[in-house]
Amino acid sequence: MAGADGDDSLYPIAVLIDELRNEDVQLRLNSIKKLSTIALALGVERTRTELLPFLTDTIYDEDEVLLALAEQLGSFTALVGGPDFVYCLLPPLESLATVEETVVRDKAVESLRKISHEHSPVDLEVHFEPLVKRLASGDWFTSRTSACGLFSVCYPRVSSTVKAEIRQHFRTLCSDDTPMVRRAAASKLGEFAKVLELDYVKSDIIPLFTTLASDEQDSVRLLAVEACVSIAQLLPQEDLEALVMPTLRQAAEDKSWRVRYMVADKFSELQKAVGPEITKNDLVPAFQNLLKDCEAEVRAAAANKVKEFCENLPDDSKENIIMSHILPCVKELVSDTNQHVKSALASVIMGLSTILGKDDTIEHLLPLFLAQLKDECPEVRLNIISNLDCVNEVIGIRQLSQSLLPAIVELAEDAKWRVRLAIIEYMPLLAGQLGVEFFDEKLNSLCMAWLVDHVYAIREAATCNLMKLVEKFGAEWAQNTIVPKVVAMANDPNYLHRMTTLFCINALSEACGQDITTKQMLPIVLKMSGDQVANVRFNVAKSLQKIGPVLENTALQAEVKPVLEKLATDQDMDVKYFAQEAISVLALA
Amino acid sequence: MLLVEDGLGICVVHLSPLSLSLSLSLSLSGAGGGGNDVQWCFSQVKGAIDDDVAEADIISTVEFNHSGELLATGDKGGRVVIFQQEPENKSQPQCRGEYNVYSTFQSHEPEFDYLKSLEIEEKINKIRWLPQKNAAQFLLSTNDKTIKLWKISERDKRPEGYNLKEEDGRYRDPTTVTTLRVPVFRPMDLMVEASPRRVFANAHTYHINSISVNSDYETYLSADDLRVNLWHLEITDRSFNIVDIKPANMEELTEVITAAEFHPNQCNTFVYSSSKGTIRLCDMRESALCDKHSKLFEEPEDPSNRSFFSEIISSISDVKFSHNGRYMMTRDYLSVKIWDLNMESRPVETYQVHEYLRSKLCSLYENDCIFDKFECCWNGNDNVVMTGSYNNFFRMFDRGQKKDVTLEASRESSKPRAVLKPRKVSAGGKRKKDEISVDSLDFNKKILHTAWHPQENIIAVATTNNLYIFQDKLN
């Protein structure tokens, strides 16, 4: 029914415009996503006078439509006539900045920030800044929260009187009645501070920062911690002690664990922002306290930062601080009551060995590694094993092998299959670090045992693991150790195990090369084509298709082709299907 | 302490000096209860008039929003009805704006949990309004398992103008389309829409009894029989368990959580009450899991007052913070207690709601009434509290003037602006004129849910399937 006789180019646009108000959300969404096409067809004039007023009123729509609209409008400048007319985009974005859905508001603010740069300085003062003011003094907190994100983009480009007004508005929002607005202001405090002149940072931002950091709402105070990082970066070193540190010290000892958690979580950034001297004097004791915090969440967050914190300590006192202040706390965490804390520590503790060097690692860290390798919680052990490479570089993995092996064996047999899966994934890494000899002696049998695990995901991972091992140790090793065991499974009474043989062959053929594949694997696959279970037979067809490209052409023609032809006449339709597929893929027809 | 003789033998009832004077003033003062001798008069009644009540129509919760302009009710049929107060009529200054239906929607549907082979009722257990964030209104409603966030918004414009069809849907001949039309918004009749915004599901194994929005306006709690969970209002796939009283062995279970509420302005503080009559106050600043309470409010039980029913009647059915956050009120079967948050050892005030039932506990146990969960509420400035009773009676206690009153929500007195007559129940012995004998009380007519306008003397009282609105008489 396309308007063959009418204007061809008009019809699809007409459909798009009509679908802007279709009942089906998906159609509306599609149409909004093609808003630029509509605008292009309407031309800049009609886009400004008709389309944008319509869009301004569309804020009743579903979130996803509004989100798409807010995003589109951020790159709409050319479609309304370029920077001279970019202010026309403000009304729809202003109404989107007041909706209740945070994602939509945030996107509208993002687009407003984007187009603010396209305003001339005059337009910025005439159109954009009044919008910010309107939002900042709006009745509902949704508009006031949106305003918080817009101050920093207009501030650098307006006159000093308007600047003073903007600062005043920001101050007002920082002491807003609702915690939502104070949170929005607190989260933009650092960003706003960055565009302010240093004098105003000291005279305006610092008092606001101090007030927000002692807000009655935990959720506001914890955001002030983030602002602390940006503010500290802006101030000269000599002012930090007086202007920032009292607040930071207070936050690190806040009554609410959520605020302390935030301090722990941001510790590395804080450390960099305040510099080495304050770190030595203030942050080290603060960090010790966080590692000993009564709330496990805080300890876990701090434990996560142990390595980074130690790495970034000033060189002159690094070793001393670690040995006398941090390590004692770390030792306590190794036997923490909470497994998340131990697990967080286990994921970073190995990193300390590179900082401390061989002797200290052996003397002080090794006992901790060994203790964690024996931890009752599998995640702790896994985290240690997954970071073995750091230790390997410093002291060599052999130091650990005594404890490592039982830990691996235990994880390999863990009742939870996800734990088994995780350890399988570390096998290639371990194999590389431990060497062929150790691997053959201790771990090879585990890898084989996984092939007959009762969970498919484990068998699958075990197959993939074999391939990676062969890539590491070479085809000759495969021929001697792996292939015979895989081939032997072809006679297993359990058809699932017989299929595992096929899966292994699929995975190994490429890594093992033509010779081994043709001589040792192909005969087994061909033999299995007579299996009584149809699932095995069609997997034979699939395997042949997979290993075909690796085989010599003569073998393909002489041995594979007749078998596939026979399978193609199998009574089972799946077998037939896969056999025919293999024949056509291998071009044997 | 006062010795009181009742039908179950001699027992010692703790009465504060306040309630002592109260029981005296009961006979002295008739009218009043709303402070300054408020005269309550009938304003409106909502709901069907006929006597046979459909189960689905039974009102299960009543809640004013923060401005009092809107009043929401939930019922056993899973519906939420919202009433809006009309603007005041200038020509009739003695009459406040009436509440009329603003929006009605089906919040919850009956469901079946196939894994546990359990039916999930659609009954709305609680409604809580969110602080207003823009022109729309938001509320949380919950049944036993699932909490939903609803948006109630107005629409007074609609787009007009299609390119390819007429307004009535008939298609135009596409060949006649020679220019593009952009739709325009035109005014239309006001339409109120309720749309579900979030569904917070799968976090409660037991029945949800409470929801409460935090003063940080971004989180809320939900409590079931054994656990309290903390949610972020924008995140539906994750909640944090902050209280868990489930014993490892369910046979060791001795108490359940009956209600929970956030402090009105301290974002870190919440309380939960238990079936043993205790209230625990927790500080979320101390740790992520609030299994250790920071305060335990409990009135020591008098051993000589123990009976078979002691534990049942001491179970707390509702807990509400005062608006100023200084006090909290709890309701147990026979009394309302006001606690000062700074004193854990005993309530500062105790009000007997229907002490005359103490001798009837045995029959109330047999007809299950003893397990009724009465709620309670504060007036706007925290000096009067209200709670329900049987026979469609409800009670108000004036904390300052030490007065109390029993009023009745009934069709008989439902003439416009008719002043409600105080009711009296004779506790046995000689029945005075105007008194109702305990034995003639109708225990099927109970007022479990009441709400007080946050600023004004307007109350909403739910009888079985009717919602009564009363207000003070303006002169």
Side-chain angles (χ1 to χ4, degrees):
Chain A
M1 83 175 214
D5 303 324
D7 186 344
D8 268 334
S9 64
L10 226 48
Y11 181 77
I13 304 291
V15 172
L16 273 184
I17 293 178
D18 285 0
E19 286 185 347
L20 281 174
R21 41 177 297 211
N22 197 293
E23 277 177 19
D24 184 345
V25 185
Q26 197 53 49
L27 292 178
R28 289 205 301 275
L29 190 58
N30 289 344
S31 219
I32 285 284
K33 285 184 175 160
K34 288 180 188 139
L35 211 53
S36 54
T37 316
I38 297 176
L40 216 53
L42 288 171
V44 293
E45 177 91 37
R46 291 192 69 192
T47 299
R48 289 201 299 267
T49 55
E50 293 177 47
L51 184 61
L52 289 179
F54 170 74
L55 295 173
T56 307
D57 281 332
T58 322
I59 56 163
Y60 297 105
D61 214 323
E62 303 280 330
D63 305 334
E64 45 185 334
V65 177
L66 298 183
L67 183 67
L69 177 59
E71 188 171 8
Q72 292 279 315
L73 292 176
S75 42
F76 228 63
T77 310
L79 296 161
V80 292
D84 288 349
F85 295 97
V86 64
Y87 64 86
C88 296
L89 295 172
L90 298 180
L93 284 170
E94 182 176 354
S95 53
L96 287 169
T98 63
V99 301
E100 69 277 0
E101 207 56 52
T102 313
V103 281
V104 176
R105 270 197 332 262
D106 287 351
K107 189 55 88 179
V109 168
E110 195 185 311
S111 288
L112 280 170
R113 288 168 70 113
K114 212 166 141 190
I115 63 167
S116 73
H117 302 297
E118 289 162 339
H119 282 70
S120 67
V122 175
D123 278 351
L124 201 70
E125 283 200 22
V126 175
H127 297 287
F128 197 88
E129 206 268 338
L131 170 141
V132 179
K133 274 193 221 161
R134 270 199 306 280
L135 288 175
S137 46
D139 283 342
W140 308 116
F141 76 79
T142 43
S143 81
R144 301 200 297 276
T145 51
S146 291
C148 294
L150 296 173
F151 293 119
S152 64
V153 288
C154 24
Y155 191 83
R157 298 178 58 209
V158 291
S159 68
S160 56
T161 29
V162 179
K163 277 185 176 176
E165 282 173 36
I166 292 180
R167 289 196 303 274
Q168 180 53 43
H169 274 292
F170 194 81
R171 270 200 296 276
T172 312
L173 293 181
C174 283
S175 52
D176 196 274
D177 286 342
T178 69
M180 291 75 100
V181 178
R182 296 203 302 277
R183 276 197 294 273
S187 67
K188 301 293 178 196
L189 188 65
E191 176 191 290
F192 189 54
K194 278 183 194 159
V195 299
L196 248 60
E197 298 79 359
L198 184 60
D199 281 348
Y200 288 121
V201 172
K202 289 187 197 171
S203 66
D204 280 38
I205 296 291
I206 296 295
L208 294 175
F209 167 62
T210 317
T211 316
L212 289 169
S214 48
D215 196 279
E216 56 171 18
Q217 291 277 342
D218 303 357
S219 52
V220 177
R221 291 203 304 281
L222 62 86
L223 288 170
V225 176
E226 263 183 296
C228 188
V229 176
S230 338
I231 292 172
Q233 283 166 343
L234 296 173
L235 293 173
Q237 188 70 30
E238 64 269 20
D239 287 334
L240 286 177
E241 178 56 41
L243 299 180
V244 175
M245 287 315 290
T247 307
L248 180 56
R249 277 187 212 113
Q250 179 193 319
E253 287 169 6
D254 196 281
K255 220 180 157 205
S256 168
W257 69 270
R258 288 166 66 197
V259 178
R260 299 196 304 272
Y261 173 92
M262 203 64 174
V263 175
D265 197 47
K266 297 278 165 225
F267 217 83
S268 304
E269 287 94 325
L270 288 168
Q271 185 186 7
K272 280 178 203 148
V274 298
E277 278 313 304
I278 294 181
T279 297
K280 268 194 269 184
N281 300 331
D282 269 286
L283 293 195
V284 172
F287 194 62
Q288 283 175 294
N289 286 338
L290 292 171
L291 288 173
K292 291 182 206 153
D293 199 277
C294 56
E295 171 57 43
E297 300 279 351
V298 179
R299 292 199 303 279
N304 258 322
K305 302 288 166 188
V306 164
K307 181 193 160 205
E308 240 180 301
F309 180 74
C310 293
E311 252 171 10
N312 296 329
L313 285 169
D315 283 332
D316 57 345
S317 50
K318 190 183 271 183
E319 200 176 325
N320 180 27
I321 292 175
I322 298 176
M323 296 304 291
S324 53
H325 297 287
I326 306 299
L327 212 53
C329 301
V330 168
K331 277 182 186 156
E332 277 175 45
L333 289 184
V334 167
S335 49
D336 199 277
T337 48
N338 185 294
Q339 69 175 53
H340 299 293
V341 176
K342 288 187 289 188
S343 172
L345 181 69
S347 63
V348 297
I349 189 174
M350 311 291 267
L352 290 181
S353 49
T354 35
I355 306 171
L356 285 179
K358 189 171 176 178
D359 294 340
D360 280 334
T361 300
I362 293 177
E363 194 183 336
H364 298 286
L365 291 177
L366 196 57
L368 304 181
F369 300 157
L370 296 177
Q372 291 216 299
L373 268 178
K374 292 184 195 121
D375 198 276
E376 58 186 6
C377 165
E379 267 106 80
V380 176
R381 283 174 272 151
L382 263 179
N383 281 345
I384 290 288
I385 290 172
S386 56
N387 287 295
L388 279 175
D389 47 341
C390 326
V391 185
N392 195 25
E393 287 161 22
V394 182
I395 57 168
I397 209 163
R398 289 274 162 180
Q399 293 272 7
L400 279 175
S401 57
Q402 284 280 313
S403 304
L404 193 55
L405 199 67
I408 293 172
V409 173
E410 211 174 302
L411 288 170
E413 289 161 359
D414 196 280
K416 294 198 195 88
W417 69 265
R418 285 175 207 277
V419 174
R420 300 201 296 276
L421 187 64
I423 188 76
I424 292 177
E425 278 160 10
Y426 290 116
M427 271 298 147
L429 179 79
L430 283 170
Q433 290 171 359
L434 294 164
V436 172
E437 206 176 306
F438 186 88
F439 185 87
D440 278 348
E441 194 181 322
K442 315 277 186 186
L443 300 179
N444 196 6
S445 55
L446 279 181
C447 291
M448 289 301 153
W450 283 319
L451 286 174
V452 293
D453 196 281
H454 59 272
V455 175
Y456 176 77
I458 299 295
R459 297 198 298 274
E460 191 189 26
T463 335
C464 181
N465 173 44
L466 285 189
M467 181 182 76
K468 289 185 183 150
L469 289 175
V470 172
E471 280 166 4
K472 215 157 224 137
F473 292 152
E476 197 183 333
W477 174 81
Q479 190 172 8
N480 296 330
T481 51
I482 303 264
V483 177
K485 290 181 187 169
V486 169
V487 165
M489 278 198 315
N491 298 320
D492 197 288
N494 184 335
Y495 85 97
L496 290 172
H497 297 172
R498 297 202 294 281
M499 291 213 305
T500 305
T501 299
L502 293 172
F503 297 146
C504 287
I505 289 174
N506 292 349
L508 293 175
S509 60
E510 210 166 322
C512 286
Q514 194 181 62
D515 194 43
I516 298 176
T517 307
T518 314
K519 291 198 177 119
Q520 297 192 18
M521 297 180 181
L522 182 61
I524 301 299
V525 179
L526 296 174
K527 193 178 136 207
M528 290 168 83
S529 69
D531 200 288
Q532 60 192 358
V533 177
N535 292 36
V536 178
R537 293 201 301 279
F538 77 64
N539 273 297
V540 165
K542 282 163 113 178
S543 286
L544 289 173
Q545 181 184 331
K546 177 93 195 185
I547 67 173
V550 187
L551 296 171
E552 289 164 30
N553 196 36
T554 49
L556 210 54
Q557 293 296 337
E559 297 176 67
V560 175
K561 193 178 173 187
V563 170
L564 281 175
E565 277 167 353
K566 182 168 165 258
L567 289 174
T569 60
D570 198 283
Q571 57 193 3
D572 185 281
M573 57 183 278
D574 290 325
V575 179
K576 258 195 248 179
Y577 171 83
F578 285 110
Q580 275 155 4
E581 190 181 72
I583 289 170
S584 76
V585 170
L586 296 173
L588 294 174
Chain B
M1 296 295 213
L2 186 74
L3 277 173
V4 177
E5 200 173 72
D6 70 10
L8 287 171
I10 303 248
C11 53
V12 177
V13 180
H14 174 86
L15 283 175
S16 67
L18 282 178
S19 52
L20 182 61
S21 57
L22 261 171
S23 53
L24 294 174
S25 67
L26 178 78
S27 52
L28 298 175
S29 144
N36 299 325
D37 286 328
V38 171
Q39 291 217 303
W40 288 96
C41 58
F42 173 84
S43 172
Q44 289 172 275
V45 58
K46 309 282 182 189
I49 303 169
D50 46 336
D51 278 339
D52 51 331
V53 177
E55 177 80 6
D57 292 336
I58 297 177
I59 296 173
S60 53
T61 181
V62 181
E63 190 79 11
F64 277 103
N65 78 341
H66 297 266
S67 67
E69 192 208 352
L70 299 175
L71 171 64
T73 62
D75 64 26
K76 283 199 171 176
R79 283 162 304 191
V80 170
V81 182
I82 296 167
F83 301 93
Q84 185 186 37
Q85 190 175 24
E86 300 296 324
E88 279 186 36
N89 190 339
K90 290 268 158 56
S91 62
Q92 285 181 292
Q94 75 277 18
C95 178
R96 285 206 196 82
E98 294 204 326
Y99 283 83
N100 288 324
V101 175
Y102 180 62
S103 173
T104 304
F105 58 93
Q106 188 75 33
S107 170
H108 287 70
E109 302 273 359
E111 283 177 271
F112 192 78
D113 182 340
Y114 294 96
L115 289 178
K116 298 201 182 92
S117 242
L118 275 179
E119 274 182 58
I120 302 168
E121 276 185 274
E122 66 273 32
K123 178 186 154 218
I124 309 294
N125 290 345
K126 281 284 184 304
I127 289 175
R128 287 288 177 267
W129 290 91
L130 263 54
Q132 196 166 5
K133 54 175 89 173
N134 59 9
Q137 296 277 353
F138 291 81
L139 62 80
L140 289 168
S141 63
T142 186
N143 67 351
D144 285 342
K145 299 287 178 187
T146 307
I147 304 149
K148 293 183 180 176
L149 175 67
W150 290 90
K151 174 186 179 181
I152 296 103
S153 56
E154 295 183 355
R155 185 185 285 209
D156 57 2
K157 285 186 213 165
R158 68 187 181 90
E160 275 179 15
Y162 284 109
N163 284 294
L164 300 172
K165 56 183 177 182
E166 307 293 337
E167 266 326 289
D168 57 17
R170 276 181 299 121
Y171 280 93
R172 284 192 194 125
D173 178 3
T175 54
T176 63
V177 178
T178 51
T179 53
L180 292 172
R181 283 174 70 186
V182 178
V184 280
F185 275 90
R186 302 248 181 256
M188 64 163 188
D189 289 344
L190 183 70
M191 204 166 84
V192 181
E193 292 175 317
S195 47
R197 304 297 288 188
R198 306 254 192 280
V199 177
F200 305 90
N202 304 321
H204 284 278
T205 316
Y206 305 95
H207 291 182
I208 299 174
N209 53 45
S210 310
I211 44 179
S212 173
V213 181
N214 192 328
S215 60
D216 67 9
Y217 295 3
E218 68 174 358
T219 55
Y220 74 90
L221 65 74
S222 58
D224 67 21
D225 298 334
L226 295 176
R227 297 192 180 102
V228 180
N229 291 336
L230 182 69
W231 300 84
H232 192 286
L233 279 163
E234 299 197 346
I235 300 169
T236 55
D237 60 355
R238 202 179 330 151
S239 74
F240 296 96
N241 180 240
I242 49 175
V243 173
D244 187 350
I245 62 163
K246 185 173 183 272
N249 178 3
M250 278 298 261
E251 281 167 18
E252 291 162 16
L253 185 69
T254 56
E255 67 177 324
V256 295
I257 297 169
T258 53
E261 193 179 48
F262 266 122
H263 191 278
N265 46 47
Q266 290 169 15
C267 63
N268 47 278
T269 308
F270 70 94
V271 293
Y272 65 94
S273 60
S274 94
S275 56
K276 280 191 162 170
T278 60
I279 309 105
R280 290 180 175 82
L281 182 141
C282 301
D283 184 347
M284 297 201 299
R285 289 176 302 188
E286 278 168 20
S287 69
L289 194 63
C290 299
D291 276 351
K292 288 195 212 87
H293 54 261
S294 42
K295 287 184 180 181
L296 176 68
F297 297 86
E298 185 173 27
E299 191 171 27
E301 192 195 27
D302 191 325
S304 62
N305 197 15
R306 264 204 80 78
S307 76
F308 174 73
F309 303 110
S310 299
E311 191 162 324
I312 301 175
I313 62 167
S314 65
S315 174
I316 291 173
S317 52
D318 196 16
V319 56
K320 292 268 168 64
F321 278 106
S322 62
H323 295 84
N324 62 18
R326 167 83 190 266
Y327 302 99
M328 63 181 171
M329 160 169 59
T330 57
R331 172 72 210 260
D332 54 43
Y333 191 61
L334 293 179
S335 65
V336 166
K337 290 173 183 159
I338 313 269
W339 305 76
D340 185 326
L341 291 192
N342 300 317
M343 186 165 76
E344 297 163 63
S345 55
R346 61 187 170 85
V348 287
E349 295 154 37
T350 301
Y351 301 108
Q352 302 305 335
V353 177
H354 35 216
E355 185 62 17
Y356 43 79
L357 296 181
R358 196 175 279 279
S359 56
K360 307 280 174 204
L361 291 175
C362 216
S363 51
L364 291 165
Y365 179 76
E366 277 161 19
N367 64 13
D368 275 354
C369 281
I370 201 167
F371 300 107
D372 284 335
K373 291 182 143 244
F374 290 98
E375 292 172 7
C376 50
C377 64
W378 298 83
N379 76 337
N381 49 14
D382 295 336
N383 56 15
V384 185
V385 296
M386 171 170 64
T387 191
S389 176
Y390 293 101
N391 205 46
N392 279 354
F393 286 172
F394 58 98
R395 303 265 288 145
M396 286 185 190
F397 304 94
D398 186 319
R399 300 175 58 212
Q401 299 195 21
K402 323 289 184 238
K403 285 183 188 167
D404 72 327
V405 67
T406 305
L407 298 171
E408 182 182 4
S410 79
R411 290 275 175 190
E412 281 77 64
S413 56
S414 60
K415 283 182 214 74
R417 288 192 295 288
V419 175
L420 297 188
K421 275 209 222 85
R423 302 287 175 179
K424 281 171 215 154
V425 178
S426 75
K430 275 191 299 215
R431 185 163 70 88
K432 295 194 201 98
K433 193 172 156 270
D434 286 348
E435 284 190 348
I436 300 138
S437 144
V438 179
D439 297 317
S440 57
L441 294 176
D442 185 344
F443 288 101
N444 290 319
K445 290 183 177 170
K446 43 191 126 186
I447 291 177
L448 301 176
H449 315 286
T450 59
W452 203 308
H453 189 290
Q455 284 101 35
E456 294 180 69
N457 275 334
I458 299 177
I459 54 170
V461 173
T463 61
T464 315
N465 65 335
N466 288 128
L467 181 71
Y468 286 83
I469 297 168
F470 303 107
Q471 57 182 33
D472 61 346
K473 192 178 176 69
L474 294 174
N475 294 312

